[in-house]
């Protein structure tokens, strides 16, 4: 059964349809039931895993859906090179480099810091995909270096298309409106209260979920689990992106309750936590390692150690502590990141 939409929702989906995108993702991704995981954690729950690790292109993950919209064919028309930034093992940089190669474009990646071994994990894949790597000292230096690289490309007669960090822009977030519609449709007539857990860092993924829920009028508890930034920072980034994206899709004629208002309400009700970061970004925690073992042995699902393991640690803790109510349907959005297993 598909979602029944109110008027602003219908208008928003109608407005979304013609927005340009470059198709890259293998979708819909499956919503995998995880009954053995539920039996181990709390048998009153239904647990499912939305397998966005399997979006396919460039080894998949959440960046693929976001890049589809960032790489609107109209914006690509005169581009000769994509420029983006991230850490030495950035999943976003991997998928951006793969998209550039696929589209016959060059790619420059501004990377803060050197990998321990440039042949392994995403660092190896950045190079295998033909990207030019520019190394900067820290995260703060990335924006300026991206601007300098774009200027260099233009000075040499090319046209740079800069893809902001994580493709977490109002445009990129639209990819996660589609994921929300998929999940709502995949649930069919299930009337349990739904909780969705996801890793959230630059905020575009959960921004798309917030907007998707507003469009569908779908009452879901969203939980964004930070692997690095303070929860307040992730909340602010996600809310800003979701509101801006809603502004593009909202009906302009005052017809029915406003989509932007609904997004504001859902963003405010969304939980953001940084309780599972541990000592820092990419540094394993006991709870994350336990979650990797649990999802592997009870669901056949492989988590990555940087993002999804920490999100899964939050999910298992909130289930065990009874924060997730009895009888709920818990969806774990698996956002990918597998190359980090091989770094
Ligand atoms: C595997 C993985 N999961 C989750 C995230 C977080 O997504 P977002 O930046 O949209 O919040 C990222 C990117 O930072 C990622 O690479």
């Amino acid at each position: 059964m598909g979602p029944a939409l109110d008027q602003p929702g219908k208008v928003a989906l109608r407005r979304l349809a013609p927005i340009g995108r470059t198709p890259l993702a293998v979708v819909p991704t499956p919503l995998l039931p995880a009954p053995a995981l539920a039996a181990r954690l709390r048998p009153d729950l239904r647990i499912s895993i939305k397998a966005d690790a399997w979006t396919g292109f460039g080894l998949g993950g959440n960046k693929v859906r976001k890049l589809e919209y960032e790489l609107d064919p109209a914006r690509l028309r005169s581009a000769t090179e994509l420029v983006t930034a991230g850490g030495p093992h950035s999943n976003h940089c991997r998928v951006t480099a793969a998209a550039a190669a696929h589209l016959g474009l060059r790619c420059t990646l501004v990377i803060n810091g050197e990998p321990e071994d440039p042949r392994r994990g995403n660092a190896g894949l950045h190079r295998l995909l033909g990207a030019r790597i520019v190394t900067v000292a820290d995260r703060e230096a990335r924006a300026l270096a991206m601007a300098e690289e774009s200027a260099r490309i233009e000075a040499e007669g090319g046209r740079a298309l800069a893809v902001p960090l994580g493709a977490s822009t109002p445009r990129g977030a639209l990819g996660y409106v589609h994921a929300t519609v998929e999940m709502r449709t995949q649930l069919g007539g299930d009337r349990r209260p739904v909780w969705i857990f996801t890793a959230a860092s630059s905020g575009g993924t959960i921004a798309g979920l917030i907007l998707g829920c507003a469009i569908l009028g779908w009452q879901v508890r969203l939980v964004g689990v930070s692997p690095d930034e303070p929860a307040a920072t992730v909340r602010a980034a996600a809310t800003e992106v979701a509101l801006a994206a809603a502004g593009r899709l909202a009906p302009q004629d005052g017809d029915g309750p406003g989509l932007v208002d609904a997004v504001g309400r859902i963003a405010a009700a969304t939980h953001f936590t940084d309780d599972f970061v541990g000592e820092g970004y990419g540094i394993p925690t006991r709870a994350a390692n336990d979650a990797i073992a649990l999802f592997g042995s009870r669901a056949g699902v492989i988590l990555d150690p940087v993002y999804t393991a920490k999100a899964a640690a939050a999910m298992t803790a909130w289930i065990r502590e009874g924060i997730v109510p009895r009888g709920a349907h818990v969806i774990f959005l698996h956002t990918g990141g597998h190359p980090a297993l091989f770094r």
Side-chain angles (χ1 to χ4, degrees), residues 53 60-63 66 89-94 122 165-169 173 176 198-208 225 227-228 234 238 272 281 304 306-308 311 333-340:
N62 60 336
K63 304 303 174 188
K66 294 196 282 179
H89 285 284
S90 163
N91 295 303
H92 164 68
C93 286
R94 168 189 23 103
N122 277 319
L165 185 70
S168 284
T169 61
Y176 270 87
T198 181
S201 178
S202 57
T205 302
I206 198 159
V225 184
D228 47 7
V234 184
F272 287 91
Y281 177 72
D304 86 291
V306 179
Y307 294 93
T308 55
L333 174 59
H334 192 325
T335 47
H338 284 140

Short mmCIF file of all heavy atoms in Angstrom, two decimals, residues 53 60-63 66 89-94 122 165-169 173 176 198-208 225 227-228 234 238 272 281 304 306-308 311 333-340, ligand 1:
data_model
loop_
_atom_site.label_atom_id
_atom_site.label_comp_id
_atom_site.label_asym_id
_atom_site.label_seq_id
_atom_site.Cartn_x
_atom_site.Cartn_y
_atom_site.Cartn_z
N ALA A 53 23.41 0.32 1.86
CA ALA A 53 24.79 -0.07 1.53
C ALA A 53 24.82 -0.65 0.11
O ALA A 53 25.88 -0.69 -0.52
CB ALA A 53 25.29 -1.09 2.53
N GLY A 60 28.50 1.79 -3.62
CA GLY A 60 27.24 2.06 -2.92
C GLY A 60 27.34 2.93 -1.68
O GLY A 60 28.31 3.64 -1.46
N GLY A 61 26.27 2.88 -0.88
CA GLY A 61 26.15 3.71 0.32
C GLY A 61 25.25 4.91 0.09
O GLY A 61 24.70 5.10 -1.01
N ASN A 62 25.10 5.73 1.13
CA ASN A 62 24.12 6.82 1.08
C ASN A 62 24.52 7.94 0.14
O ASN A 62 23.68 8.73 -0.29
CB ASN A 62 23.86 7.39 2.50
CG ASN A 62 25.10 7.95 3.17
OD1 ASN A 62 26.22 7.58 2.85
ND2 ASN A 62 24.90 8.83 4.12
N LYS A 63 25.80 8.05 -0.19
CA LYS A 63 26.24 9.17 -1.03
C LYS A 63 25.69 9.07 -2.45
O LYS A 63 25.62 10.08 -3.15
CB LYS A 63 27.77 9.23 -1.08
CG LYS A 63 28.42 9.31 0.29
CD LYS A 63 27.91 10.48 1.08
CE LYS A 63 28.45 10.48 2.49
NZ LYS A 63 27.83 11.51 3.31
N LYS A 66 22.38 10.96 -2.91
CA LYS A 66 22.55 12.41 -2.80
C LYS A 66 23.25 12.96 -4.05
O LYS A 66 22.88 14.02 -4.57
CB LYS A 66 23.36 12.74 -1.54
CG LYS A 66 22.60 12.38 -0.26
CD LYS A 66 23.19 13.04 0.97
CE LYS A 66 24.43 12.40 1.48
NZ LYS A 66 24.98 13.09 2.66
N HIS A 89 39.73 8.72 4.09
CA HIS A 89 38.94 7.53 3.74
C HIS A 89 37.49 7.89 3.48
O HIS A 89 36.58 7.13 3.82
CB HIS A 89 39.04 6.49 4.86
CG HIS A 89 40.36 5.78 4.87
ND1 HIS A 89 40.67 4.80 3.95
CD2 HIS A 89 41.45 5.92 5.65
CE1 HIS A 89 41.89 4.35 4.18
NE2 HIS A 89 42.40 5.02 5.20
N SER A 90 37.27 9.04 2.85
CA SER A 90 35.90 9.52 2.64
C SER A 90 35.12 8.66 1.66
O SER A 90 35.55 8.42 0.52
CB SER A 90 35.98 10.96 2.11
OG SER A 90 34.75 11.33 1.55
N ASN A 91 33.94 8.23 2.11
CA ASN A 91 33.02 7.52 1.21
C ASN A 91 32.46 8.47 0.15
O ASN A 91 32.29 8.08 -1.01
CB ASN A 91 31.85 6.93 2.02
CG ASN A 91 32.32 5.87 2.98
OD1 ASN A 91 32.95 4.88 2.58
ND2 ASN A 91 32.04 6.06 4.27
N HIS A 92 32.19 9.69 0.58
CA HIS A 92 31.66 10.69 -0.37
C HIS A 92 32.66 10.95 -1.50
O HIS A 92 32.28 11.04 -2.67
CB HIS A 92 31.36 11.98 0.40
CG HIS A 92 31.17 13.16 -0.48
ND1 HIS A 92 30.10 13.28 -1.33
CD2 HIS A 92 31.96 14.25 -0.68
CE1 HIS A 92 30.22 14.41 -2.01
NE2 HIS A 92 31.33 15.01 -1.64
N CYS A 93 33.95 11.05 -1.15
CA CYS A 93 34.96 11.28 -2.19
C CYS A 93 35.04 10.08 -3.13
O CYS A 93 35.19 10.25 -4.35
CB CYS A 93 36.33 11.55 -1.54
SG CYS A 93 36.44 13.19 -0.81
N ARG A 94 34.91 8.88 -2.57
CA ARG A 94 34.94 7.69 -3.44
C ARG A 94 33.83 7.73 -4.48
O ARG A 94 34.06 7.55 -5.68
CB ARG A 94 34.83 6.42 -2.59
CG ARG A 94 34.56 5.20 -3.46
CD ARG A 94 34.22 3.91 -2.70
NE ARG A 94 33.71 4.04 -1.40
CZ ARG A 94 32.40 3.89 -1.07
NH1 ARG A 94 31.51 3.63 -2.01
NH2 ARG A 94 32.03 4.00 0.18
N ASN A 122 39.14 3.28 1.28
CA ASN A 122 38.71 4.33 0.35
C ASN A 122 39.89 5.12 -0.22
O ASN A 122 39.83 5.59 -1.36
CB ASN A 122 37.75 5.29 1.05
CG ASN A 122 36.32 4.76 1.06
OD1 ASN A 122 35.84 4.19 0.08
ND2 ASN A 122 35.64 4.92 2.19
N LEU A 165 30.66 19.36 0.82
CA LEU A 165 30.97 18.24 1.71
C LEU A 165 29.78 17.29 1.86
O LEU A 165 28.69 17.72 2.23
CB LEU A 165 31.35 18.79 3.08
CG LEU A 165 31.84 17.76 4.09
CD1 LEU A 165 33.20 17.23 3.70
CD2 LEU A 165 31.88 18.38 5.48
N GLY A 166 30.02 16.03 1.58
CA GLY A 166 29.00 15.01 1.80
C GLY A 166 27.80 15.12 0.88
O GLY A 166 26.82 14.39 1.05
N ALA A 167 27.84 16.02 -0.09
CA ALA A 167 26.66 16.31 -0.94
C ALA A 167 25.44 16.58 -0.06
O ALA A 167 24.31 16.30 -0.43
CB ALA A 167 26.39 15.19 -1.94
N SER A 168 25.70 17.13 1.13
CA SER A 168 24.60 17.43 2.07
C SER A 168 24.08 18.84 1.82
O SER A 168 24.29 19.75 2.62
CB SER A 168 25.08 17.24 3.51
OG SER A 168 25.15 15.86 3.78
N THR A 169 23.43 18.97 0.69
CA THR A 169 22.85 20.24 0.26
C THR A 169 21.33 20.03 0.13
O THR A 169 20.86 18.89 0.13
CB THR A 169 23.40 20.60 -1.13
OG1 THR A 169 23.02 19.54 -2.03
CG2 THR A 169 24.92 20.72 -1.11
N ALA A 173 19.81 16.32 -0.52
CA ALA A 173 18.87 15.71 0.44
C ALA A 173 17.65 15.12 -0.26
O ALA A 173 17.01 14.20 0.27
CB ALA A 173 18.43 16.75 1.47
N TYR A 176 17.11 11.44 -0.38
CA TYR A 176 16.55 10.70 0.75
C TYR A 176 15.05 10.89 0.91
O TYR A 176 14.42 10.15 1.69
CB TYR A 176 17.38 10.91 2.03
CG TYR A 176 18.42 9.81 1.99
CD1 TYR A 176 19.60 10.00 1.31
CD2 TYR A 176 18.10 8.55 2.46
CE1 TYR A 176 20.49 8.94 1.14
CE2 TYR A 176 18.97 7.49 2.30
CZ TYR A 176 20.16 7.70 1.64
OH TYR A 176 21.00 6.63 1.45
N THR A 198 19.68 6.19 11.96
CA THR A 198 20.69 6.35 10.91
C THR A 198 21.91 7.08 11.45
O THR A 198 21.78 7.89 12.38
CB THR A 198 20.14 7.13 9.70
OG1 THR A 198 21.18 7.23 8.69
CG2 THR A 198 19.70 8.54 10.06
N ALA A 199 23.05 6.81 10.88
CA ALA A 199 24.22 7.66 11.14
C ALA A 199 23.95 9.03 10.54
O ALA A 199 23.33 9.14 9.47
CB ALA A 199 25.47 7.05 10.52
N ALA A 200 24.39 10.09 11.20
CA ALA A 200 24.17 11.45 10.70
C ALA A 200 25.41 12.28 11.01
O ALA A 200 25.81 12.38 12.17
CB ALA A 200 22.95 12.08 11.34
N SER A 201 25.99 12.86 9.96
CA SER A 201 27.22 13.63 10.16
C SER A 201 27.09 15.00 9.50
O SER A 201 26.88 16.00 10.18
CB SER A 201 28.40 12.82 9.59
OG SER A 201 29.58 13.56 9.72
N SER A 202 27.22 15.06 8.17
CA SER A 202 26.99 16.36 7.53
C SER A 202 25.50 16.65 7.41
O SER A 202 25.11 17.77 7.10
CB SER A 202 27.70 16.45 6.17
OG SER A 202 27.29 15.42 5.31
N GLY A 203 24.65 15.67 7.68
CA GLY A 203 23.23 15.91 7.92
C GLY A 203 22.29 15.78 6.73
O GLY A 203 21.08 15.83 6.89
N GLY A 204 22.83 15.58 5.52
CA GLY A 204 21.97 15.56 4.34
C GLY A 204 21.04 14.35 4.29
O GLY A 204 19.90 14.46 3.82
N THR A 205 21.53 13.23 4.78
CA THR A 205 20.71 12.02 4.73
C THR A 205 19.47 12.18 5.61
O THR A 205 18.34 11.98 5.17
CB THR A 205 21.55 10.81 5.18
OG1 THR A 205 22.68 10.73 4.33
CG2 THR A 205 20.76 9.52 5.13
N ILE A 206 19.70 12.56 6.87
CA ILE A 206 18.56 12.68 7.77
C ILE A 206 17.69 13.87 7.39
O ILE A 206 16.47 13.85 7.58
CB ILE A 206 19.02 12.70 9.25
CG1 ILE A 206 17.82 12.37 10.16
CG2 ILE A 206 19.66 14.03 9.64
CD1 ILE A 206 18.20 11.89 11.54
N ALA A 207 18.28 14.89 6.77
CA ALA A 207 17.47 16.01 6.27
C ALA A 207 16.46 15.50 5.24
O ALA A 207 15.30 15.91 5.23
CB ALA A 207 18.36 17.09 5.66
N GLY A 208 16.92 14.61 4.37
CA GLY A 208 16.01 14.04 3.36
C GLY A 208 14.92 13.19 4.00
O GLY A 208 13.77 13.19 3.54
N VAL A 225 22.47 9.51 14.59
CA VAL A 225 23.57 9.16 15.50
C VAL A 225 24.87 9.70 14.91
O VAL A 225 25.29 9.29 13.83
CB VAL A 225 23.66 7.64 15.69
CG1 VAL A 225 24.73 7.30 16.72
CG2 VAL A 225 22.30 7.06 16.10
N PRO A 227 28.78 10.21 14.31
CA PRO A 227 30.05 9.50 14.48
C PRO A 227 31.19 10.46 14.79
O PRO A 227 32.33 10.05 14.94
CB PRO A 227 30.27 8.88 13.10
CG PRO A 227 29.66 9.91 12.17
CD PRO A 227 28.53 10.56 12.90
N ASP A 228 30.89 11.78 14.82
CA ASP A 228 31.99 12.73 14.98
C ASP A 228 31.55 14.05 15.63
O ASP A 228 31.99 14.38 16.72
CB ASP A 228 32.68 13.02 13.63
CG ASP A 228 31.72 13.31 12.49
OD1 ASP A 228 30.51 13.43 12.73
OD2 ASP A 228 32.19 13.43 11.35
N VAL A 234 25.10 18.70 14.30
CA VAL A 234 24.43 17.88 13.27
C VAL A 234 22.97 18.30 13.15
O VAL A 234 22.44 18.44 12.04
CB VAL A 234 24.55 16.37 13.61
CG1 VAL A 234 23.94 15.54 12.48
CG2 VAL A 234 25.99 15.97 13.85
N ALA A 238 21.38 19.60 9.67
CA ALA A 238 20.28 18.83 9.06
C ALA A 238 19.02 19.70 8.93
O ALA A 238 18.32 19.66 7.91
CB ALA A 238 19.99 17.58 9.89
N PHE A 272 18.82 13.64 18.05
CA PHE A 272 20.22 13.59 17.60
C PHE A 272 21.06 13.24 18.82
O PHE A 272 20.88 13.83 19.89
CB PHE A 272 20.67 14.94 17.03
CG PHE A 272 20.08 15.25 15.68
CD1 PHE A 272 18.89 15.95 15.59
CD2 PHE A 272 20.70 14.82 14.52
CE1 PHE A 272 18.32 16.23 14.35
CE2 PHE A 272 20.14 15.10 13.27
CZ PHE A 272 18.94 15.81 13.20
N TYR A 281 36.14 10.44 15.82
CA TYR A 281 35.78 9.94 14.49
C TYR A 281 36.68 8.77 14.08
O TYR A 281 37.92 8.90 14.11
CB TYR A 281 35.92 11.09 13.49
CG TYR A 281 35.65 10.70 12.07
CD1 TYR A 281 34.36 10.44 11.65
CD2 TYR A 281 36.68 10.60 11.15
CE1 TYR A 281 34.09 10.07 10.35
CE2 TYR A 281 36.43 10.24 9.84
CZ TYR A 281 35.13 9.97 9.44
OH TYR A 281 34.87 9.60 8.15
N ASP A 304 29.91 -1.06 8.84
CA ASP A 304 31.24 -0.45 8.74
C ASP A 304 31.62 0.07 10.13
O ASP A 304 30.72 0.38 10.94
CB ASP A 304 31.25 0.69 7.72
CG ASP A 304 30.83 2.01 8.34
OD1 ASP A 304 29.64 2.14 8.69
OD2 ASP A 304 31.69 2.88 8.53
N VAL A 306 33.04 2.90 11.09
CA VAL A 306 33.12 4.35 11.31
C VAL A 306 31.74 4.97 11.54
O VAL A 306 31.57 5.78 12.45
CB VAL A 306 33.82 5.04 10.12
CG1 VAL A 306 33.88 6.56 10.32
CG2 VAL A 306 35.21 4.46 9.92
N TYR A 307 30.77 4.60 10.72
CA TYR A 307 29.44 5.23 10.77
C TYR A 307 28.37 4.27 11.29
O TYR A 307 27.73 4.52 12.31
CB TYR A 307 29.02 5.72 9.38
CG TYR A 307 29.87 6.85 8.86
CD1 TYR A 307 30.99 6.60 8.06
CD2 TYR A 307 29.57 8.17 9.15
CE1 TYR A 307 31.79 7.62 7.58
CE2 TYR A 307 30.35 9.21 8.67
CZ TYR A 307 31.46 8.93 7.89
OH TYR A 307 32.24 9.94 7.42
N THR A 308 28.15 3.19 10.53
CA THR A 308 26.97 2.36 10.82
C THR A 308 27.12 1.59 12.13
O THR A 308 26.13 1.32 12.80
CB THR A 308 26.66 1.41 9.65
OG1 THR A 308 27.83 0.63 9.36
CG2 THR A 308 26.25 2.18 8.42
N ALA A 311 26.00 3.93 14.79
CA ALA A 311 24.54 4.09 14.74
C ALA A 311 23.85 2.84 15.27
O ALA A 311 22.85 2.93 16.00
CB ALA A 311 24.10 4.37 13.30
N LEU A 333 18.71 2.26 9.02
CA LEU A 333 19.13 2.67 7.67
C LEU A 333 20.63 2.42 7.55
O LEU A 333 21.44 3.12 8.19
CB LEU A 333 18.80 4.14 7.45
CG LEU A 333 19.31 4.76 6.14
CD1 LEU A 333 18.76 4.03 4.91
CD2 LEU A 333 18.93 6.25 6.08
N HIS A 334 20.98 1.41 6.77
CA HIS A 334 22.40 1.06 6.59
C HIS A 334 22.97 1.93 5.47
O HIS A 334 22.64 1.75 4.30
CB HIS A 334 22.54 -0.42 6.23
CG HIS A 334 23.96 -0.91 6.30
ND1 HIS A 334 25.05 -0.14 5.96
CD2 HIS A 334 24.47 -2.10 6.70
CE1 HIS A 334 26.16 -0.83 6.13
NE2 HIS A 334 25.84 -2.02 6.58
N THR A 335 23.83 2.88 5.85
CA THR A 335 24.30 3.88 4.90
C THR A 335 25.61 3.50 4.21
O THR A 335 26.19 4.32 3.49
CB THR A 335 24.46 5.23 5.63
OG1 THR A 335 25.17 5.01 6.85
CG2 THR A 335 23.11 5.84 5.94
N GLY A 336 26.09 2.28 4.44
CA GLY A 336 27.26 1.81 3.67
C GLY A 336 28.57 2.00 4.41
O GLY A 336 28.65 1.81 5.62
N GLY A 337 29.62 2.34 3.65
CA GLY A 337 30.93 2.59 4.26
C GLY A 337 31.83 1.37 4.35
O GLY A 337 32.86 1.40 5.04
N HIS A 338 31.49 0.32 3.62
CA HIS A 338 32.24 -0.94 3.75
C HIS A 338 33.75 -0.86 3.50
O HIS A 338 34.51 -1.60 4.13
CB HIS A 338 31.62 -2.02 2.85
CG HIS A 338 30.35 -2.56 3.44
ND1 HIS A 338 29.24 -2.86 2.69
CD2 HIS A 338 30.01 -2.82 4.73
CE1 HIS A 338 28.27 -3.30 3.48
NE2 HIS A 338 28.71 -3.28 4.71
N PRO A 339 34.23 0.03 2.61
CA PRO A 339 35.68 0.04 2.39
C PRO A 339 36.49 0.29 3.67
O PRO A 339 37.67 -0.09 3.73
CB PRO A 339 35.88 1.16 1.37
CG PRO A 339 34.59 1.17 0.60
CD PRO A 339 33.53 0.88 1.62
N ALA A 340 35.85 0.90 4.69
CA ALA A 340 36.59 1.14 5.94
C ALA A 340 36.99 -0.16 6.63
O ALA A 340 37.87 -0.17 7.48
CB ALA A 340 35.76 2.00 6.89
C1 LIG B 1 28.77 5.38 5.49
C2 LIG B 1 28.21 6.69 5.89
N1 LIG B 1 27.13 6.72 6.66
C3 LIG B 1 26.59 7.88 7.07
C4 LIG B 1 27.13 9.09 6.71
C5 LIG B 1 26.50 10.34 7.21
O1 LIG B 1 25.64 10.88 6.24
P1 LIG B 1 25.37 12.45 6.21
O2 LIG B 1 26.69 13.10 5.98
O3 LIG B 1 24.39 12.63 5.12
O4 LIG B 1 24.82 12.84 7.54
C6 LIG B 1 28.27 9.11 5.88
C7 LIG B 1 28.91 10.36 5.46
O5 LIG B 1 29.42 11.14 6.16
C8 LIG B 1 28.82 7.89 5.46
O6 LIG B 1 29.90 7.86 4.67
#
